[in-house]
Amino acid sequence: MSLTIDDLNFAYGPHPVLHRLAAGPLERGALTALVGPNGSGKSTLFRCFSGAARPLGGRILLDSQDLAVLKDRERSRRVFHLAQDLSARAALTVFEVVLLARKSLTGGMDLRAGLCDLRLVQTVLGSLDLDGLSQRHIGTLSGGQRQLVGIAQALVREPDVLLLDEPTSALDVRRQLEVLQIVQRVTRERSMITIVALHDLSLAARFADRLLVLKDGCIAEEGDPEEVLQTQATSDAYRVGIHLERSSRGSLLVEPYLSSLRAAE
Amino acid sequence: MTSITLTAVAGYRRTARRRLGLVALGLSVLILAFFMDLSVGPGPATMRQVVGALFDSSGIDARLRLVVFDLRLPIALMAVLVGAMLGLAGAAMQTILNNPLADPFTLGVSAAASVGASLAIAFGWVLLPVGGTLAVTMNAFVFALMASLALFGLTKLRGVSAETMVLVGIALLFTCNALLALIQYRSNETQLQQIVFWMMGSLGRASFEKIGICVVALGIALPWMLARGWALTSLRLGDERAESMGVKVDRLRLEILALVSLLAAISVAFVGAIGFVGLVGPHIARLVIGEDQRFFLPVSAVMSAIILSLASTLSKAVTPGIIYPIGMITSLIGVPFFISLILSIRSRGA
């Protein structure tokens, strides 16, 4: 029961974005952090997972089944991609937005919302500490609260594969830790395969079971976070030096530095 | 957790019940507006006589029958139906284009209909072999449909984004307006007067055949759109989020565009260009009920139907014996109302 990326190629017109990308197998119940500099292809890889971008070659295998052969609805049921932004212009409440994510699973022809769905929505909202906001319009929320609503949308669909694109980008420090802790917990409890695109290497090292480093559309390094962060390939991908240290609490602290500055010191 | 769960679920259900209540209230106001519309107009008949005739037509005299069933009822029914069609089309358009300024006329459908009607009026050029006054209506409908098909085809060719649809629509609108100016320039005084009157919009051209066609169009479009209620609501969260929820965004846009075109083409062909109704109705609906499309679409239709019914009443009541073009009335009362609506939103936001 795993996810494997096999020789994936993708280009926007003449511009190649993913080049013979291969990774995995990523196991169920494990949280993988996808890191890499801007423009390395993280969001495009996620779009290939969700079917929004069609790869020119290669396969993504979920439990040995090629995602490309799945029907669209089945694919969206099994794989949920939480894109970076949630439009704040809609006159919809938090509860409605999360219920919508649940109801769209079934094709949406049934206009009623059953008690089971309503209870599931509220349980998820409660687990993210959002139940107090359930009747608020999403336009009145802070950016961080909207991120949490997006995560609630993902969780309420109970997918096999959860792809989160920068889920902590608009959150304060406490919320960042809380959200990743929740994602880590539900990944284990529900045996999901979760991939989180992150820029913060310390958060990636702290919460991920596995690290994928992307550079120019290829996997530069893959494996245990502590080992991967010490490799030259990771430093090369970011064009920085990386200093690792364990805190007194046992967490891995990652200090990136510009190589020229460190040499001057 | 249990008590919290029940509280929030109860909160959602309370909101849903309140919305259903508002739908019922809207329908009640619409019925009232419909009877008000019936109570004024050509011929001597009071509200009491009209209602009496509607519920028991066996014992009424021929004159009252003529006034109620031939003169007033078609106009009042047409006001409700065209209002509902324009409101529904405007609401759906605003949702798929993610643009609160969109309405069926934004994309040139109305202007194309006006070109068709003007060609029939000025030069007798008709695309289908239909004679008499129906020729103008038919030509307007065919041109509106052709504009919709052009919009549909060009959008599909270029990629179905909201921006593409608006850009292609604006290009169509300008082309049609230029053609319209050319036709008016080449027309004589009488033809010009007829064209201008047609473009002002009038419910006076209502008939039971047209009412039947409107009922069928609305009967197809409303359930169809409601069946896409969840998908349309998810579109409000952005294309990317909707796609990740399994919504085929491009297909949904084209499907809804086809339905909107049908509604707009029929209403413009039957009553001429009636502006603002398709814009204001959805705005009021959004304010009172939000954008859950299961409620937003029908309430937009009801709100626009109320507005057009009231405008129809006003068009007959201002000067006894004269029916003003309804397109003029809706714009005259629509503009100040719309501005006050925007200001009230601003001040609430502040």
Side-chain angles (χ1 to χ4, degrees), chain B residues 88-155:
Chain B
L88 184 61
M93 212 63 172
Q94 289 174 15
T95 297
I96 62 168
L97 295 182
N98 190 24
N99 188 337
L101 292 176
D103 82 346
F105 298 177
T106 317
L107 302 184
V109 178
S110 155
S114 298
V115 170
S118 304
L119 282 173
I121 292 167
F123 312 123
W125 292 356
V126 289
L127 290 178
L128 291 178
V130 189
T133 50
L134 206 60
V136 178
T137 304
M138 208 59 194
N139 230 32
F141 178 72
V142 172
F143 268 74
L145 219 53
M146 273 166 42
S148 303
L149 285 175
L151 181 67
F152 196 86
L154 288 169
T155 306

Side-chain angles (χ1 to χ4, degrees), chain A:
Chain A
M1 304 288 260
S2 63
L3 181 90
T4 309
I5 307 169
D6 183 17
D7 225 12
L8 206 64
N9 286 298
F10 182 82
Y12 288 111
H15 310 292
V17 181
L18 302 179
H19 180 63
R20 304 199 68 172
L21 192 149
L26 309 178
E27 302 298 330
R28 280 178 179 267
L31 194 154
T32 301
L34 178 67
V35 299
N38 291 331
S40 57
K42 298 190 291 292
S43 296
T44 304
L45 177 60
F46 279 173
R47 287 169 60 80
C48 287
F49 269 98
S50 66
R54 298 211 176 274
L56 301 174
R59 298 177 302 171
I60 300 171
L61 300 167
L62 177 60
D63 297 340
S64 308
Q65 189 173 28
D66 188 352
L67 284 183
V69 303
L70 292 180
K71 290 205 166 122
D72 290 335
R73 191 153 299 287
E74 175 67 3
R75 186 173 180 148
S76 78
R77 190 186 67 77
R78 299 191 70 182
V79 180
F80 186 73
H81 170 211
L82 188 67
Q84 281 173 353
D85 61 324
L86 174 70
S87 168
R89 286 175 61 189
L92 294 167
T93 65
V94 169
F95 199 100
E96 285 170 337
V97 167
V98 180
L99 177 65
L100 179 63
R102 178 72 189 171
K103 288 301 295 182
S104 56
L105 271 176
T106 51
M109 299 300 273
D110 178 14
L111 289 179
R112 289 166 304 164
L115 192 57
C116 283
D117 288 333
L118 296 179
R119 283 196 165 141
L120 178 65
V121 169
Q122 187 47 47
T123 305
V124 169
L125 288 176
S127 72
L128 292 171
D129 208 12
L130 285 171
D131 36 10
L133 303 176
S134 68
Q135 296 306 313
R136 284 261 302 269
H137 274 192
I138 53 168
T140 65
L141 303 181
S142 68
Q145 287 169 329
R146 280 206 301 277
Q147 289 272 35
L148 286 175
V149 173
I151 291 171
Q153 282 193 303
L155 296 184
V156 85
R157 291 173 69 91
E158 301 174 320
D160 291 331
V161 179
L162 175 58
L163 310 166
L164 302 174
D165 204 347
E166 286 292 331
T168 56
S169 60
L171 303 183
D172 61 42
V173 178
R174 184 186 167 86
R175 286 288 197 191
Q176 288 182 6
L177 297 176
E178 281 177 351
V179 164
L180 287 175
Q181 215 161 43
I182 288 164
V183 171
Q184 191 181 48
R185 177 168 55 79
V186 292
T187 299
R188 286 179 186 151
E189 281 173 3
R190 298 181 187 183
S191 288
M192 292 192 298
I193 297 168
T194 300
I195 309 177
V196 186
L198 287 171
H199 274 307
D200 188 326
L201 295 178
S202 288
L203 285 177
R206 187 161 170 181
F207 287 99
D209 302 298
R210 194 178 181 86
L211 207 61
L212 292 180
V213 182
L214 208 58
K215 188 201 173 197
D216 299 333
C218 300
I219 296 292
E221 201 62 68
E222 176 182 4
D224 173 70
E226 188 167 358
E227 288 170 14
V228 166
L229 286 168
Q230 294 183 63
T231 62
Q232 190 59 41
T234 305
S235 289
D236 290 348
Y238 280 101
R239 296 194 295 142
V240 294
I242 294 174
H243 175 72
L244 288 185
E245 207 175 294
R246 231 170 238 289
S247 73
S248 56
R249 299 176 59 85
S251 302
L252 202 59
L253 301 175
V254 184
E255 185 202 353
Y257 58 89
L258 291 172
S259 310
S260 55
L261 289 181
R262 182 52 64 104
E265 283 169 20

Side-chain angles (χ1 to χ4, degrees), chain B residues 83 86-88 90-91 94 100-104 274-288 296 299-305 307-308 330-331 333-342 345:
Chain B
L86 291 176
L88 184 61
Q94 289 174 15
L101 292 176
D103 82 346
I274 299 179
F276 267 103
V277 177
L279 190 66
V280 177
H283 273 275
I284 299 171
R286 189 176 289 111
L287 276 178
V288 298
F296 174 62
V299 171
S300 296
V302 170
M303 289 298 169
S304 296
I307 294 168
L308 206 59
T330 54
S331 290
I333 58 168
V335 174
F337 181 73
F338 193 55
I339 289 171
S340 68
L341 199 67
I342 292 166
I345 296 167

